Amino acid sequence: MKRIYGIIAFLFISIISVVTLSSCHSEQFPVDYEQLGSDERIVIRFSHVVGEDTPKGMAARKFAELIKERSNGYVEVQVFSNGMLYKDGEEMNALTRGDIQMIAPAISKLTSIVPEVSVFDLPYAFYTLDEVHEYAKSDVGKKLTDKLKNHNLMAVGLWDSGFKQISNSIRPIHHYSDLKGLRMRIMPSDILAKQYTTLEAHSKRTEFNTVFNQLQQGNVDGQENTLTNITSKNFYSLQDYLTISNHGYLGYFLLFNLEFWNGLPEDVQHLLTDTLKDVEQWEWQLTKKMNDEKLLEIEKCDCIQLHYLTSEDQVVWEEKLQPVYKFYKEHYNDQFINALPKFQTN
């Protein structure tokens, strides 16, 4: 009998020891989700078409790094830049099909499905980037992004590229009349096309990844873009004149496939939105800094003739471009124009 009690006591002590050791082991070595297969983790394929050294490219990498760190590898964001996975005109279809889960297209590229978002394309709609941010986060801004849900798209943030400038290879653009007859590449937006029609220029809609070739082959005379995009794609090497006009905003809505988003666990949704808020603030500051730096680089390179529109010049341009606002009001709801910061009274 004593022997039986002894065996029972030994087994009890052994079990307690194993449990204790297992507990200590768990505390010392937390779960490493990176060791799981891709089918056991959450993988988000994030495709975009600009260079890695642009604000969007750098923010995409930062977002991926933070998500990996904060989820301990359980959520992996795979970034494909420079149109590596899908070209400019392909990524939207790939997203809606579910072949990728996230993109960050220029807002202009969404105007074919939600034309009202072209309010962001209106010339001189915003005078500062802060105004853009306030508008996008306002009730009317949310009303615009909610329209994307009807197309299986979930908007989760806004990243800046900055304000657009005008370059060309024909002549200096000092006055809006200097654009007359020029062939300008634009993004796919009826508002941008109306902008150049109003200035008696010709517009050609082409994908971002083809702009360099279009300029090189002489299919267009010029283009409009932000300084970080102009330098990262080396457009200015093919152009003789650059006008700092700050005439229009260029930014990106961060979009998820809505069906994919709704299928994510709630805690993962919170992780993504919280992280994107952090990266958004970081990206906004980076954009301001990089555009200032790129302008200095262009000034120092002495490789393209620069002209700056004065504030008085911009007023003249803005007045000339009023028909673009009329066009928008005639085709879309004018509530989105009326809510612009510049039309608000303090």
Side-chain angles (χ1 to χ4, degrees):
M1 183 65 69
K2 288 182 180 180
R3 184 182 178 189
I4 293 173
Y5 282 134
I7 293 172
I8 292 173
F10 173 78
L11 290 173
F12 179 78
I13 293 170
S14 298
I15 291 169
I16 293 297
S17 299
V18 169
V19 170
T20 302
L21 288 172
S22 298
S23 175
C24 293
H25 181 80
S26 178
E27 290 178 3
Q28 291 176 352
F29 302 98
V31 175
D32 181 3
Y33 289 110
E34 290 189 79
Q35 302 307 314
L36 297 176
S38 60
D39 57 333
E40 299 174 283
R41 291 178 285 121
I42 294 176
V43 177
I44 297 169
R45 291 182 291 276
F46 180 3
S47 175
H48 69 82
V49 300
V50 301
E52 292 188 350
D53 57 347
T54 61
K56 179 164 72 170
M58 295 171 71
R61 292 202 307 275
K62 186 174 185 67
F63 172 57
E65 291 165 2
L66 287 176
I67 287 297
K68 178 180 179 181
E69 175 187 324
R70 294 177 180 182
S71 71
N72 199 29
Y74 179 56
V75 182
E76 179 185 0
V77 178
Q78 299 174 350
V79 179
F80 301 90
S81 62
N82 269 314
M84 178 193 314
L85 197 59
Y86 292 101
K87 301 298 183 186
D88 207 2
E90 303 170 343
E91 60 178 12
M92 183 65 70
N93 289 334
L95 181 69
T96 54
R97 289 195 308 266
D99 294 340
I100 50 178
Q101 291 71 47
M102 186 178 181
I103 61 175
I107 296 173
S108 301
K109 296 169 189 172
L110 302 173
T111 60
S112 61
I113 57 175
V114 181
E116 295 89 341
V117 300
S118 60
V119 68
F120 287 93
D121 285 335
L122 288 167
Y124 297 106
F126 306 97
Y127 301 134
T128 67
L129 293 177
D130 288 339
E131 286 185 350
V132 180
H133 306 155
E134 290 168 10
Y135 183 83
K137 294 184 181 299
S138 68
D139 289 341
V140 74
K142 291 175 182 175
K143 187 177 292 187
L144 279 171
T145 52
D146 280 347
K147 289 178 178 291
L148 293 166
K149 293 179 180 177
N150 297 327
H151 302 274
N152 197 30
L153 301 171
M154 176 71 181
V156 291
L158 171 71
W159 288 353
D160 292 333
S161 184
F163 286 107
K164 293 181 288 186
Q165 323 303 341
I166 299 173
S167 72
N168 84 101
S169 59
I170 304 300
R171 55 179 172 266
I173 306 300
H174 293 175
H175 189 265
Y176 60 74
S177 61
D178 295 323
L179 280 160
K180 184 176 181 179
L182 295 187
R183 299 167 300 161
M184 302 295 295
R185 179 268 172 180
I186 62 169
M187 290 183 288
S189 165
D190 289 344
I191 289 298
L192 296 181
K194 180 63 178 177
Q195 169 185 283
Y196 282 105
T197 299
T198 302
L199 300 176
E200 299 184 73
H202 309 289
S203 59
K204 182 175 182 179
R205 308 179 195 208
T206 66
E207 297 176 6
F208 180 69
N209 296 99
T210 69
V211 177
F212 187 90
N213 287 337
Q214 291 289 321
L215 293 170
Q216 190 175 48
Q217 295 169 11
N219 295 331
V220 291
D221 301 314
Q223 57 86 49
E224 59 170 25
N225 226 306
T226 60
L227 292 172
T228 53
N229 283 342
I230 288 172
T231 53
S232 71
K233 292 297 186 179
N234 206 26
F235 296 156
Y236 67 104
S237 68
L238 301 174
Q239 305 274 265
D240 299 309
Y241 310 100
L242 176 64
T243 296
I244 306 302
S245 54
N246 293 316
H247 65 280
Y249 171 73
L250 173 53
Y252 313 101
F253 279 143
L254 297 166
L255 302 179
F256 272 93
N257 175 291
L258 180 59
E259 186 178 355
F260 172 80
W261 178 267
N262 288 337
L264 291 172
E266 190 174 343
D267 60 335
V268 173
Q269 290 180 350
H270 288 314
L271 170 67
L272 292 169
T273 52
D274 290 346
T275 302
L276 282 168
K277 285 178 184 177
D278 293 340
V279 176
E280 185 177 67
Q281 293 291 330
W282 180 85
E283 197 273 347
W284 289 349
Q285 295 302 315
L286 178 66
T287 296
K288 291 179 181 179
K289 178 175 179 288
M290 287 190 67
N291 275 303
D292 288 343
E293 290 174 349
K294 295 305 177 184
L295 181 55
L296 286 175
E297 286 181 19
I298 292 174
E299 288 175 339
K300 292 178 179 178
C301 79
D302 195 29
C303 52
I304 191 169
Q305 188 179 126
L306 274 169
H307 176 72
Y308 297 82
L309 292 187
T310 66
S311 55
E312 291 79 11
D313 293 333
Q314 291 177 348
V315 171
V316 174
W317 282 57
E318 185 175 353
E319 181 61 30
K320 173 65 177 177
L321 290 164
Q322 284 308 300
V324 187
Y325 285 74
K326 182 180 179 183
F327 176 88
Y328 183 99
K329 289 180 179 181
E330 289 174 349
H331 289 78
Y332 319 121
N333 196 321
D334 64 359
Q335 66 171 307
F336 300 115
I337 282 183
N338 296 336
L340 287 171
K342 69 178 184 176
F343 294 133
Q344 308 310 302
T345 56
N346 295 327

